């Protein structure tokens, strides 16, 4: 068992759980998307850039820049989809959809990268899916918006987050000799540039205190999550993503329950235990 890599996966998941709380806090504080995203992405990019400078990384790879910019735009789309969905669903439902997107990179890695799948992987995924069904009630949205629109919001959260995870896996495979901190800096820097461009175009030059606070919290947690995630990409996708996203799912739901007073029913507690069992199985694989 690759203990350091497993620990990196768990650390990435916990940082993602903190990011869940920060994104929900931003939504509850009615933060505007562009100012909040610019601060969050700028913070994440600056943190990664400082790490890259310390490691004396090489920035000359053209593929690195293309990959980073594409990932930055995709990350911004994922953030936007989650903020929008948070207005229509309870926070645990949105965060569950984002984390269950790990199924997409597992399947894509199997088909495009030739990674082998085991029966244990099916048990892990099934356990986490059972946890998802036990944690949320999709029939109780928080808005009267038409049903189709609400489900499209969740679909956008699932797809954007799934493609983002697959992108991290591809980076580890296609550019193994490139420092991960370079990708993170370019990725979040390009996302911040898009958000700043929107701010300038709209003439929005003032930031609310909540936008600054939640943006800094989101950026710090995001940077930590990805810097821990990329080393974990050396693990098979069927191990890395259930561990990372399962940890984020359990941690995010518990933190949302603690901070935003979402009630943990016996059904939800049983679902969390099922998810924890899946995480143990993923770690043992």
């Amino acid at each position: 068992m690759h203990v350091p890599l497993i620990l990196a996966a768990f650390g990435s998941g916990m940082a993602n759980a903190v990011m869940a709380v920060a994104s929900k806090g931003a939504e509850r504080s009615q933060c505007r998307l562009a100012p909040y995203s610019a601060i969050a992405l700028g913070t994440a990019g600056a943190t990664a850039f400082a790490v890259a400078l310390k490691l004396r990384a090489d920035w000359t790879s053209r593929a690195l820049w293309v990959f980073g910019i594409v990932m930055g735009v995709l990350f911004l789309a994922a953030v936007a989809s989650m903020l929008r969905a948070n207005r229509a669903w309870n926070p645990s439902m949105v965060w569950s959809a984002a984390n269950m997107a790990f199924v997409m990179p597992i399947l894509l890695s199997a088909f495009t990268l030739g990674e082998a799948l085991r029966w244990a992987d099916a048990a892990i995924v099934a356990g986490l899916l059972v946890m998802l069904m036990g944690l949320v009630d999709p029939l109780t949205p928080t808005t009267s918006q038409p049903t189709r629109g609400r489900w499209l919001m969740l679909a956008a959260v699932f797809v954007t987050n799934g493609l983002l995870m697959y992108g991290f896996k591809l980076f580890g495979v296609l550019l193994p000799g490139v420092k991960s901190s370079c990708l993170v800096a370019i990725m979040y820097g390009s996302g911040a540039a898009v958000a700043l461009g929107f701010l300038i175009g709209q003439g929005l030059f003032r930031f609310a205190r909540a936008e600054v606070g939640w943006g800094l919290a989101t950026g710090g947690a995001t940077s930590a999550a990805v810097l821990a995630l990329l080393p974990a990409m050396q693990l098979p996708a069927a191990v890395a993503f259930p561990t990372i996203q399962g940890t984020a799912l359990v941690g995010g739901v518990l933190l949302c329950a603690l901070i935003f007073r979402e009630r943990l029913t016996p059904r939800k507690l049983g679902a969390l235990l099922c998810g924890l069992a899946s995480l143990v199985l993923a770690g043992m694989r």
Side-chain angles (χ1 to χ4, degrees), residues 49-273:
F49 182 69
V51 173
L53 288 180
K54 186 176 180 180
L55 297 176
R56 298 182 180 180
D58 181 11
W59 299 82
T60 59
S61 171
R62 181 179 298 179
L64 166 67
W65 285 90
V66 173
F67 216 99
I69 291 172
V70 171
M71 292 287 284
V73 174
L74 186 57
F75 179 82
L76 191 59
V79 171
S81 68
M82 290 183 66
L83 284 177
R84 187 177 181 187
N86 269 332
R87 298 188 177 98
W89 298 92
N90 62 62
S92 65
M93 184 65 181
V94 177
W95 193 238
S96 297
N99 283 282
M100 294 312 295
F102 75 85
V103 174
M104 184 181 294
I106 290 176
L107 295 177
L108 288 175
S109 295
F111 285 111
T112 63
L113 303 177
E115 291 193 351
L117 296 177
R118 304 177 184 176
W119 286 109
D121 300 329
I124 293 168
V125 172
L128 293 176
L129 289 173
V130 169
M131 178 176 66
L132 172 63
M133 290 186 289
L135 285 175
V136 295
D137 182 3
L139 300 179
T140 55
T142 59
T143 180
S144 58
Q145 184 171 347
T147 301
R148 181 180 179 183
R150 292 197 304 267
W151 284 106
L152 285 176
M153 289 181 189
L154 282 186
V157 171
F158 182 88
V159 171
T160 54
N161 279 275
L163 290 176
L164 194 63
M165 295 177 210
Y166 181 59
F168 289 130
K169 181 65 181 180
L170 278 182
F171 174 77
V173 173
L174 300 179
L175 299 171
V178 179
K179 296 291 185 182
S180 59
S181 53
C182 294
L183 172 71
V184 180
I186 296 172
M187 170 181 160
Y188 292 133
S190 60
V194 172
L196 284 173
F198 181 83
L199 286 177
I200 294 172
Q202 297 294 316
L204 303 174
F205 301 106
R206 291 186 178 182
F207 296 87
R209 181 178 299 179
E211 292 166 350
V212 174
W214 288 119
L216 289 173
T218 301
T222 299
S223 182
V226 177
L227 288 173
L229 176 149
L230 289 171
M233 291 298 95
Q234 298 176 53
L235 295 167
V239 175
F241 288 112
T243 302
I244 294 169
Q245 305 310 127
T247 302
L249 182 56
V250 172
V253 170
L254 289 176
L255 287 175
C256 284
L258 178 66
I259 296 174
F260 300 120
R261 306 296 176 86
E262 284 196 352
R263 184 166 172 260
L264 284 178
T265 62
R267 174 186 173 186
K268 288 186 176 183
L269 289 174
L272 288 174
L273 289 176

Side-chain angles (χ1 to χ4, degrees), residues 267-283:
R267 174 186 173 186
K268 288 186 176 183
L269 289 174
L272 288 174
L273 289 176
C274 184
L276 289 173
S278 296
L279 289 177
V280 171
L281 183 58

